[in-house]
mmCIF file of all heavy atoms in Angstrom:
data_model
loop_
_atom_site.group_PDB
_atom_site.id
_atom_site.type_symbol
_atom_site.label_atom_id
_atom_site.label_comp_id
_atom_site.label_asym_id
_atom_site.label_seq_id
_atom_site.Cartn_x
_atom_site.Cartn_y
_atom_site.Cartn_z
ATOM 1 N N ALA A 116 -7.912 -5.771 -18.685
ATOM 2 C CA ALA A 116 -7.909 -5.864 -17.228
ATOM 3 C C ALA A 116 -7.192 -4.659 -16.620
ATOM 4 O O ALA A 116 -7.391 -4.342 -15.444
ATOM 5 C CB ALA A 116 -7.260 -7.169 -16.770
ATOM 6 N N ALA A 117 -6.351 -3.982 -17.426
ATOM 7 C CA ALA A 117 -5.716 -2.743 -16.946
ATOM 8 C C ALA A 117 -6.695 -1.587 -17.088
ATOM 9 O O ALA A 117 -6.932 -0.831 -16.151
ATOM 10 C CB ALA A 117 -4.436 -2.457 -17.729
ATOM 11 N N SER A 176 -14.336 7.540 -6.527
ATOM 12 C CA SER A 176 -13.459 7.899 -7.648
ATOM 13 C C SER A 176 -12.878 6.669 -8.327
ATOM 14 O O SER A 176 -12.033 6.792 -9.210
ATOM 15 C CB SER A 176 -12.310 8.776 -7.149
ATOM 16 O OG SER A 176 -11.466 8.012 -6.308
ATOM 17 N N GLY A 177 -13.264 5.472 -7.920
ATOM 18 C CA GLY A 177 -12.738 4.274 -8.566
ATOM 19 C C GLY A 177 -12.706 3.095 -7.617
ATOM 20 O O GLY A 177 -13.203 3.167 -6.477
ATOM 21 N N GLY A 178 -12.114 2.009 -8.093
ATOM 22 C CA GLY A 178 -12.042 0.793 -7.297
ATOM 23 C C GLY A 178 -11.155 0.960 -6.070
ATOM 24 O O GLY A 178 -11.461 0.446 -4.989
ATOM 25 N N THR A 179 -10.053 1.671 -6.229
ATOM 26 C CA THR A 179 -9.130 1.846 -5.098
ATOM 27 C C THR A 179 -9.837 2.569 -3.953
ATOM 28 O O THR A 179 -9.774 2.138 -2.794
ATOM 29 C CB THR A 179 -7.890 2.638 -5.548
ATOM 30 O OG1 THR A 179 -7.225 1.883 -6.568
ATOM 31 C CG2 THR A 179 -6.935 2.888 -4.396
ATOM 32 N N GLU A 180 -10.526 3.654 -4.273
ATOM 33 C CA GLU A 180 -11.226 4.396 -3.211
ATOM 34 C C GLU A 180 -12.348 3.552 -2.603
ATOM 35 O O GLU A 180 -12.553 3.566 -1.377
ATOM 36 C CB GLU A 180 -11.786 5.716 -3.730
ATOM 37 C CG GLU A 180 -12.341 6.545 -2.585
ATOM 38 C CD GLU A 180 -13.160 7.743 -3.021
ATOM 39 O OE1 GLU A 180 -12.846 8.372 -4.051
ATOM 40 O OE2 GLU A 180 -14.142 8.052 -2.324
ATOM 41 N N ASN A 182 -12.483 0.324 -2.332
ATOM 42 C CA ASN A 182 -11.881 -0.663 -1.428
ATOM 43 C C ASN A 182 -11.434 -0.012 -0.123
ATOM 44 O O ASN A 182 -11.631 -0.556 0.965
ATOM 45 C CB ASN A 182 -10.678 -1.348 -2.096
ATOM 46 C CG ASN A 182 -11.102 -2.427 -3.088
ATOM 47 O OD1 ASN A 182 -12.232 -2.925 -3.042
ATOM 48 N ND2 ASN A 182 -10.208 -2.800 -3.981
ATOM 49 N N HIS A 206 -5.645 -7.478 -4.676
ATOM 50 C CA HIS A 206 -5.057 -6.306 -5.333
ATOM 51 C C HIS A 206 -4.409 -5.427 -4.255
ATOM 52 O O HIS A 206 -4.876 -5.399 -3.105
ATOM 53 C CB HIS A 206 -6.176 -5.537 -6.041
ATOM 54 C CG HIS A 206 -5.692 -4.430 -6.922
ATOM 55 N ND1 HIS A 206 -5.454 -3.157 -6.452
ATOM 56 C CD2 HIS A 206 -5.398 -4.409 -8.244
ATOM 57 C CE1 HIS A 206 -5.042 -2.398 -7.461
ATOM 58 N NE2 HIS A 206 -5.000 -3.125 -8.553
ATOM 59 N N ALA A 208 -4.821 -2.462 -3.694
ATOM 60 C CA ALA A 208 -5.822 -1.547 -3.114
ATOM 61 C C ALA A 208 -6.459 -2.151 -1.870
ATOM 62 O O ALA A 208 -6.972 -1.429 -1.017
ATOM 63 C CB ALA A 208 -6.898 -1.206 -4.146
ATOM 64 N N MET A 254 -11.394 -11.180 -2.953
ATOM 65 C CA MET A 254 -11.818 -10.687 -4.265
ATOM 66 C C MET A 254 -12.686 -11.694 -5.004
ATOM 67 O O MET A 254 -12.577 -12.907 -4.804
ATOM 68 C CB MET A 254 -10.599 -10.312 -5.106
ATOM 69 C CG MET A 254 -9.755 -11.475 -5.545
ATOM 70 S SD MET A 254 -8.044 -11.045 -5.986
ATOM 71 C CE MET A 254 -8.168 -9.525 -6.862
ATOM 72 N N ALA A 256 -12.858 -11.933 -8.540
ATOM 73 C CA ALA A 256 -12.035 -12.510 -9.609
ATOM 74 C C ALA A 256 -10.679 -11.828 -9.598
ATOM 75 O O ALA A 256 -10.589 -10.608 -9.443
ATOM 76 C CB ALA A 256 -12.706 -12.315 -10.959
ATOM 77 N N ASN A 257 -9.630 -12.634 -9.780
ATOM 78 C CA ASN A 257 -8.274 -12.096 -9.679
ATOM 79 C C ASN A 257 -7.852 -11.390 -10.968
ATOM 80 O O ASN A 257 -8.085 -11.890 -12.063
ATOM 81 C CB ASN A 257 -7.284 -13.215 -9.333
ATOM 82 C CG ASN A 257 -5.885 -12.686 -9.190
ATOM 83 O OD1 ASN A 257 -5.119 -12.688 -10.152
ATOM 84 N ND2 ASN A 257 -5.556 -12.175 -8.022
ATOM 85 N N ASN A 258 -7.198 -10.247 -10.811
ATOM 86 C CA ASN A 258 -6.821 -9.424 -11.958
ATOM 87 C C ASN A 258 -5.607 -9.944 -12.708
ATOM 88 O O ASN A 258 -5.371 -9.549 -13.843
ATOM 89 C CB ASN A 258 -6.558 -7.983 -11.507
ATOM 90 C CG ASN A 258 -5.644 -7.910 -10.310
ATOM 91 O OD1 ASN A 258 -5.926 -8.484 -9.254
ATOM 92 N ND2 ASN A 258 -4.533 -7.217 -10.448
ATOM 93 N N ASP A 283 -13.977 -7.514 -3.647
ATOM 94 C CA ASP A 283 -13.514 -6.609 -4.684
ATOM 95 C C ASP A 283 -13.936 -7.243 -6.015
ATOM 96 O O ASP A 283 -13.344 -8.226 -6.460
ATOM 97 C CB ASP A 283 -11.988 -6.478 -4.564
ATOM 98 C CG ASP A 283 -11.370 -5.682 -5.703
ATOM 99 O OD1 ASP A 283 -12.064 -5.427 -6.700
ATOM 100 O OD2 ASP A 283 -10.180 -5.333 -5.584
ATOM 101 N N VAL A 285 -13.983 -5.735 -8.963
ATOM 102 C CA VAL A 285 -13.554 -4.849 -10.062
ATOM 103 C C VAL A 285 -13.406 -5.616 -11.374
ATOM 104 O O VAL A 285 -13.866 -5.170 -12.423
ATOM 105 C CB VAL A 285 -12.244 -4.122 -9.673
ATOM 106 C CG1 VAL A 285 -11.575 -3.498 -10.882
ATOM 107 C CG2 VAL A 285 -12.543 -3.061 -8.620
ATOM 108 N N GLN A 286 -12.766 -6.780 -11.327
ATOM 109 C CA GLN A 286 -12.554 -7.526 -12.584
ATOM 110 C C GLN A 286 -13.775 -8.355 -12.967
ATOM 111 O O GLN A 286 -13.948 -8.717 -14.126
ATOM 112 C CB GLN A 286 -11.318 -8.430 -12.479
ATOM 113 C CG GLN A 286 -10.013 -7.675 -12.322
ATOM 114 C CD GLN A 286 -9.620 -6.867 -13.569
ATOM 115 O OE1 GLN A 286 -10.124 -7.083 -14.663
ATOM 116 N NE2 GLN A 286 -8.721 -5.916 -13.382
ATOM 117 N N SER A 306 -15.410 -0.799 -10.361
ATOM 118 C CA SER A 306 -14.653 0.307 -10.948
ATOM 119 C C SER A 306 -15.155 0.557 -12.357
ATOM 120 O O SER A 306 -15.294 -0.387 -13.151
ATOM 121 C CB SER A 306 -13.163 -0.047 -10.975
ATOM 122 O OG SER A 306 -12.457 0.884 -11.759
ATOM 123 N N GLY A 307 -15.404 1.844 -12.700
ATOM 124 C CA GLY A 307 -15.968 2.170 -14.006
ATOM 125 C C GLY A 307 -15.067 1.830 -15.182
ATOM 126 O O GLY A 307 -15.527 1.316 -16.200
ATOM 127 N N HIS A 308 -13.749 2.083 -15.025
ATOM 128 C CA HIS A 308 -12.911 1.999 -16.229
ATOM 129 C C HIS A 308 -12.582 0.580 -16.669
ATOM 130 O O HIS A 308 -11.941 0.381 -17.695
ATOM 131 C CB HIS A 308 -11.646 2.860 -16.085
ATOM 132 C CG HIS A 308 -10.589 2.324 -15.169
ATOM 133 N ND1 HIS A 308 -9.395 1.838 -15.627
ATOM 134 C CD2 HIS A 308 -10.540 2.214 -13.821
ATOM 135 C CE1 HIS A 308 -8.637 1.470 -14.608
ATOM 136 N NE2 HIS A 308 -9.307 1.691 -13.494
ATOM 137 N N LYS A 309 -13.026 -0.393 -15.897
ATOM 138 C CA LYS A 309 -12.876 -1.784 -16.365
ATOM 139 C C LYS A 309 -14.133 -2.230 -17.103
ATOM 140 O O LYS A 309 -14.188 -3.338 -17.629
ATOM 141 C CB LYS A 309 -12.637 -2.731 -15.184
ATOM 142 C CG LYS A 309 -11.658 -2.245 -14.143
ATOM 143 C CD LYS A 309 -10.226 -2.304 -14.591
ATOM 144 C CE LYS A 309 -9.302 -1.947 -13.423
ATOM 145 N NZ LYS A 309 -7.902 -1.967 -13.760
ATOM 146 N N SER A 316 -14.248 6.729 -11.931
ATOM 147 C CA SER A 316 -15.613 6.429 -11.467
ATOM 148 C C SER A 316 -15.602 5.055 -10.803
ATOM 149 O O SER A 316 -14.988 4.117 -11.310
ATOM 150 C CB SER A 316 -16.610 6.454 -12.638
ATOM 151 O OG SER A 316 -16.261 5.512 -13.635
ATOM 152 N N CYS A 432 -0.259 -2.202 -11.920
ATOM 153 C CA CYS A 432 0.170 -1.490 -10.726
ATOM 154 C C CYS A 432 1.590 -1.884 -10.336
ATOM 155 O O CYS A 432 2.296 -1.131 -9.695
ATOM 156 C CB CYS A 432 -0.778 -1.780 -9.573
ATOM 157 S SG CYS A 432 -2.476 -1.482 -10.023
HETATM 158 N N1 PLP B 624 -9.125 -4.123 -7.634
HETATM 159 C C1 PLP B 624 -8.777 -4.865 -8.687
HETATM 160 C C2 PLP B 624 -8.992 -6.352 -8.661
HETATM 161 C C3 PLP B 624 -8.219 -4.264 -9.823
HETATM 162 O O1 PLP B 624 -7.867 -5.013 -10.869
HETATM 163 C C4 PLP B 624 -8.026 -2.857 -9.813
HETATM 164 C C5 PLP B 624 -7.389 -2.177 -10.951
HETATM 165 O O2 PLP B 624 -6.602 -2.752 -11.657
HETATM 166 C C6 PLP B 624 -8.433 -2.125 -8.683
HETATM 167 C C7 PLP B 624 -8.984 -2.804 -7.613
HETATM 168 C C8 PLP B 624 -8.281 -0.642 -8.618
HETATM 169 O O3 PLP B 624 -9.310 0.007 -9.341
HETATM 170 P P1 PLP B 624 -9.137 1.521 -9.845
HETATM 171 O O4 PLP B 624 -8.114 1.494 -10.947
HETATM 172 O O5 PLP B 624 -10.501 1.902 -10.330
HETATM 173 O O6 PLP B 624 -8.712 2.326 -8.682
#
Side-chain angles (χ1 to χ4, degrees):
S176 67
T179 298
E180 187 191 325
N182 282 341
H206 189 273
M254 69 202 320
N257 181 267
N258 49 302
D283 173 348
V285 165
Q286 295 293 343
S306 169
H308 74 109
K309 316 286 186 180
S316 59
C432 308

